[in-house]
Amino acid sequence: MRALLLTALALVLSTTASHAQQETIGQHYHAYTAALQNGDLATAEREAAAALQLSEAQDGDGGHTAVLALNLATTRLSAGHGADALAPAQQAL
């Protein structure tokens, strides 16, 4: 009985820990907008890319993927990375 309780407790704790570690599109989007407001284009680009990647995994080309691709393309253009902006700009289109 004790082993069963310990196993159940371990399962609950591992499930809770993995759920807490899951990133969301919204978390990355909010970090992206905060970085833009602070003028930190490097962080904004990283967060925009992370939000886009999660959206692609979750929604494919649907959902907010096109808008998130546009955010990444715009951020890369603003940072002077025009060549790197091409792929997300085409994806947004």
Side-chain angles (χ1 to χ4, degrees):
M1 181 71 167
R2 182 185 220 186
L4 180 62
L5 288 174
L6 289 175
T7 302
L9 180 60
L11 179 61
V12 168
L13 290 176
S14 68
T15 302
T16 302
S18 68
H19 180 70
Q21 292 174 351
Q22 288 180 345
E23 301 169 288
T24 67
I25 296 167
Q27 288 170 331
H28 287 292
Y29 176 77
H30 291 296
Y32 155 79
T33 58
L36 281 181
Q37 289 175 349
N38 292 327
D40 184 356
L41 290 178
T43 299
E45 182 177 348
R46 184 176 62 250
E47 294 297 334
L52 175 59
Q53 183 179 18
L54 287 174
S55 184
E56 290 169 330
Q58 179 180 314
D59 301 320
D61 286 336
H64 298 288
T65 300
V67 172
L68 295 169
L70 181 60
N71 290 345
L72 179 57
T74 303
T75 303
R76 286 180 174 171
L77 283 173
S78 296
H81 305 135
D84 294 330
L86 181 59
Q90 289 174 327
Q91 183 179 8
L93 181 62

